Amino acid sequence: MVTVDSKLSIFALGGINEIGKNMYVIETEDDLVIIDCGAKFPDETLLGIDLIIQDISYLQENKNKIRAMIVTHGHEDHIGGIPYFLKQLNVPIYATNLTLGLIEIKLKEHGLLRNTKLVMINSDTEIDLGTIQTTFFKTSHSIPDCLGIAFHTDQGTIVHTGDFKFDWTPVGDKSQDIHKMAEIGQKGVLLLLSESTNAERPGSTPSEQVVGDHIEEAFRNATRKVFISTFASNVHRVQQVVNAAIKTNRKIVLLGRSMVNVVAVAIERDYLDVPEGLIIEPSEINRMKPENVAILCTGSQGEPMAALSRLASSSFRSAEVLPDDTVIFAASPIPGNEKSVSRIIDNLFQLGAKVIYGSGTVTGMHVSGHACQEELKLMLTLMKPKYFIPIHGEYRMLVHHRILAESVGVKKENIFVINNGDVVDIENSVATHTRIIDSGNVFVDGFGIGDVGNIILRDRKVLSADGMLVIVTTISKSQGKIISGPDSISRGFIYGPDAEALMNEVNESVRSTINSSSNMYRNQRVMKQDIKKTLEKFLYSRTKRKPMILPIIIDI
Amino acid sequence: MVTVDSKLSIFALGGINEIGKNMYVIETEDDLVIIDCGAKFPDETLLGIDLIIQDISYLQENKNKIRAMIVTHGHEDHIGGIPYFLKQLNVPIYATNLTLGLIEIKLKEHGLLRNTKLVMINSDTEIDLGTIQTTFFKTSHSIPDCLGIAFHTDQGTIVHTGDFKFDWTPVGDKSQDIHKMAEIGQKGVLLLLSESTNAERPGSTPSEQVVGDHIEEAFRNATRKVFISTFASNVHRVQQVVNAAIKTNRKIVLLGRSMVNVVAVAIERDYLDVPEGLIIEPSEINRMKPENVAILCTGSQGEPMAALSRLASSSFRSAEVLPDDTVIFAASPIPGNEKSVSRIIDNLFQLGAKVIYGSGTVTGMHVSGHACQEELKLMLTLMKPKYFIPIHGEYRMLVHHRILAESVGVKKENIFVINNGDVVDIENSVATHTRIIDSGNVFVDGFGIGDVGNIILRDRKVLSADGMLVIVTTISKSQGKIISGPDSISRGFIYGPDAEALMNEVNESVRSTINSSSNMYRNQRVMKQDIKKTLEKFLYSRTKRKPMILPIIIDI
């Protein structure tokens, strides 16, 4: 039984001071519930890293208390870490129909589907997770079937918004349930965790519907084939592409693995209404009139292996961008992707295509899935929480969200702008932040989870900048002299006619370092240090480069 | 003497289908003139490359014809390649006072100042370059003292705009000379080369003056220190910072090497009006009241080694960002820099600063230096050229500029959307494009110019992704067996407790490959191939990584 004094703790293992890798935890003395398990994509400084996930050592230490992982929606930053998590901890996963469908694709790829307990919920579900009673409310976002969560505990109600916007004219009939939100707020919310992605942006995010009008207009104006690229998971936008295709008498071809996968799941689970025969195979394009074809593809962010990038470099045999075809970017470039997107646009122009590109506010081909300032204030006003933690966002976004919360009446001292790992404890309905638990970035590289650390990344950085030089020398202990080498092998350092001469000098330098070394027969380590130091200086003075130098000495 | 039939050729060695590395050439039978010599910064795929410059082999082959290099203005993409050029070819350089000052800084750094002929010109100068008579006209841009060029040849007049915008209310009294442009156009222009940077943008670029008002307002509102970051070369903006500092009773501290250098040159050459005593040393900050200090610094693009980045990470001893200080980004992030800029903004928020950041159209703290569509049409209308070549821009920008030219009456067939290396020949005042000359990217890495090619970059890419593995084995020829090794050394591949076990397996695999090899005493190359193939497969199956594998076999 729960005592009224039982303590409650809230913390994040990812998603605060960053975009991506979301994971939040609510913990009582007996029970622990995880919200979301996202991945994050590495920036260009994390050489060779595939993915970043959470450090879940705290959860492993407390695994017996874990009752559930609840997933708010099916975006990568909320589900991408699940396969890696499940390889370390097996917990039941609660999510809505579409979200489960997307999770299942991942689990299949990792061979994890059979041993995972997946529980389908909807916004009416009530779950009893030990001391934590859980209810849900619908939210609008750039993927269907999103949930906000209300945890009813003996300390009070904790609300987690998930990602959301308010869309008063949504595509499809499933939108945010503002009445339920109002009711939860009216009954009293102790703590609100609300997303901050667009907290820097004034005003409100436009309805997804405005994109549909622009797509239809572009389809009408197109005299030949239309290529349109967007996020596969934006099922509402895909529906609008389907609608525009029907109205303008075009068949649809799907290109890109995730587009094919997600559309299949969305149709199968009834989130997408596609008439029989509308979708045709790429091989059928050539027997169609160009004005009767629309190609819906991945790659709106310039990803080099995605469909649009391959179309731009003409590497698809079945689908070719030809002069006067229309190509639509139905998604604004995410910060950091502008350059790769521009490269593709240039290639498409070279192919003679008409390209509709640029910010969604200009083209009308994209709206955000996240609440802007006025909507964030609406959520804060609906929930009127005593305490507030801004989540999902980089630091400046969290600060802006704090200011918004203050502006609608949340007390400054009741707002916690925290970090991943910072614990907010609630006792007697009073929240304090005094503790920190382990959290951090874990790098996924190939099969390895977490074995790529600073040393490996530092080495990769050195290797990437100036390459490397291996010098092998064989020394005979008995004869006390060099019997083979020094031989130098370089990669990524220098090349061509000048290289050989320089390598001869390198070998000569190493030979004299070894011969003049009083440690020749004693201390390999010191000798290697001498070689390294001498060569570093020599090579920098000659080339202004700093390759990684690896002296190898073999004693026989 | 020049015959009326003499041929004229125009081409680019850089600056077309790219932003950066500008270089254009006008050539008659006897004479050759070079316009600009810019550098370009490498993107993240060009590992370890410092700078990209032009392939100038065509100029080397025709060096006896070169009469001059004319530099339109002092930005990096127009002067950054000069030191590297001069190491290959010595030509006289013609430029305005400020541009020469900025070039001289570079030549000093490279020890080239003494042997270079620098000729100071202004917009009234007329130069006789053999068969090419050259006059100039003033343009407005984000750096003072910019020139457009008119080449008067027996084929007709060729106009090169340089970079420009039209600023009707410029800062300082030196602005574009529209009357001279009109006069050149009225006399007849055979061919116009005009810049295309903002050809995608409708409307007109606002005047630099609007930035001044916003800077002054921010300075007035700031209760403590102000940090303001912009491009050092934007002398007009620096002047407006100076003006705001005077009006709000603040002294100015300069931080960042290029800010200190450029401001010194600009003051010395009378482009910047700074009262005696206004600029103080960083060491004096601490004896000033915070509300009497403004720190003008480099790093508005998030460059990791620049002043602002170091301020954000608190690594300056003399100048510290403290709570309630104001930090102003007086420059929009250039595409590709958004992420590093955001990182710095977050750090500044963490320090408690008030940060003014984001697009210049929102903050008012930045305007472009380039002409938008209406201004480009004005230039085309003023010059009313028979032929037109859009320059300075990526492909989509050139296409937009072509459309603008058509809209104001240039015939479609008279517009050449060309590539670097494409030659436009003019004979009997008729232009054709039939020839291509050598052009391309030359990479600067350390002291090496051009020796970094595809092989080195490919190796660096492999090394950066998964590191490397060296396996050394010594074989005795006489005994027919392994006498030392195999020993494995890896860098950037794997590390930690699992690594040792894996390396033992690697060594075992190599041992058995060598022992089972029938080629043991014959063909080292084949043996190495066998080792490599076996290990690649083994390591990928175990780690899903593909390090560079370097088998080394020593025969004794």
Side-chain angles (χ1 to χ4, degrees), chain B residues 10 23-26 33-37 68-73 78 94-96 121-123 125-127 129 132-139 145-153 156-164 180-181 184-185 189-194 379 383 391-392:
Chain B
I10 314 277
M23 179 178 282
Y24 304 87
V25 175
I26 172 164
V33 178
I34 301 160
I35 303 149
D36 290 340
C37 182
M69 175 188 288
I70 301 172
V71 181
T72 58
H73 64 283
H78 297 260
Y94 294 72
T96 55
I121 55 175
N122 61 44
S123 62
T125 308
E126 298 189 3
I127 323 176
L129 298 165
I132 306 168
Q133 313 302 313
T134 310
T135 64
F136 302 91
F137 54 92
K138 279 187 208 164
T139 61
D145 227 5
C146 295
L147 293 178
I149 314 174
F151 299 100
H152 308 281
T153 75
T157 297
I158 319 287
V159 171
H160 183 291
T161 62
D163 279 346
F164 74 96
K180 200 163 181 183
M181 293 181 205
I184 293 167
V189 171
L190 179 66
L191 168 65
L192 172 69
L193 300 101
S194 181
M379 179 63 85
M383 294 299 171
I391 58 170
H392 297 183

Side-chain angles (χ1 to χ4, degrees), chain A residues 125-171:
Chain A
T125 308
E126 299 189 0
I127 323 175
D128 185 345
L129 299 164
T131 49
I132 306 168
Q133 312 301 312
T134 309
T135 64
F136 302 92
F137 54 92
K138 279 188 206 161
T139 61
S140 278
H141 186 42
S142 45
I143 186 171
D145 227 7
C146 297
L147 293 177
I149 314 174
F151 298 101
H152 309 280
T153 75
D154 55 334
Q155 294 287 332
T157 297
I158 319 288
V159 171
H160 183 292
T161 63
D163 280 346
F164 73 96
K165 65 190 271 192
F166 286 98
D167 192 335
W168 311 119
T169 56
V171 175

Side-chain angles (χ1 to χ4, degrees), chain B residues 323-505:
Chain B
D324 294 324
D325 283 349
T326 301
V327 183
I328 303 168
F329 284 77
S332 304
I334 292 170
N337 296 343
E338 291 85 351
K339 271 188 169 181
S340 12
V341 171
S342 294
R343 230 169 280 144
I344 290 174
I345 294 167
D346 280 335
N347 288 345
L348 293 168
F349 266 100
Q350 295 264 15
L351 295 173
K354 294 170 183 166
V355 190
I356 300 174
Y357 66 96
S359 157
T361 52
V362 175
T363 63
M365 292 293 183
H366 179 72
V367 296
S368 173
H370 299 278
C372 287
Q373 292 180 346
E374 294 307 310
E375 295 157 277
L376 293 173
K377 286 191 273 184
L378 172 55
M379 179 63 85
L380 282 155
T381 303
L382 284 168
M383 294 299 171
K384 45 180 181 173
K386 181 176 178 193
Y387 295 105
F388 174 55
I389 303 178
I391 58 170
H392 297 183
E394 296 175 356
Y395 189 73
R396 63 193 185 284
M397 303 166 190
L398 306 178
V399 171
H400 275 95
H401 206 174
R402 189 200 70 208
I403 295 167
L404 294 174
E406 285 178 49
S407 78
V408 297
V410 184
K411 283 188 192 153
K412 190 171 182 173
E413 63 272 22
N414 286 359
I415 302 173
F416 296 89
V417 176
I418 57 173
N419 236 312
N420 296 327
D422 287 352
V423 182
V424 173
D425 290 309
I426 305 180
E427 215 163 351
N428 301 320
S429 296
V430 174
T432 51
H433 159 44
T434 47
R435 297 188 295 136
I436 294 173
I437 58 155
D438 280 348
S439 70
N441 286 325
V442 171
F443 301 133
V444 179
D445 181 8
F447 289 143
I449 298 177
D451 64 339
V452 173
N454 288 334
I455 294 175
I456 287 188
L457 286 173
R458 195 195 57 205
D459 284 347
R460 286 182 186 171
K461 201 167 169 58
V462 172
L463 290 165
S464 75
D466 286 321
M468 60 145 176
L469 177 69
V470 181
I471 319 106
V472 190
T473 315
T474 310
I475 295 176
S476 162
K477 274 186 190 165
S478 54
Q479 298 167 51
K481 63 171 191 185
I482 295 171
I483 56 171
S484 166
D487 293 308
S488 304
I489 301 152
S490 85
R491 289 290 185 277
F493 171 44
I494 64 166
Y495 198 83
D498 299 337
E500 202 180 332
L502 190 72
M503 286 305 139
N504 286 338
E505 290 187 71

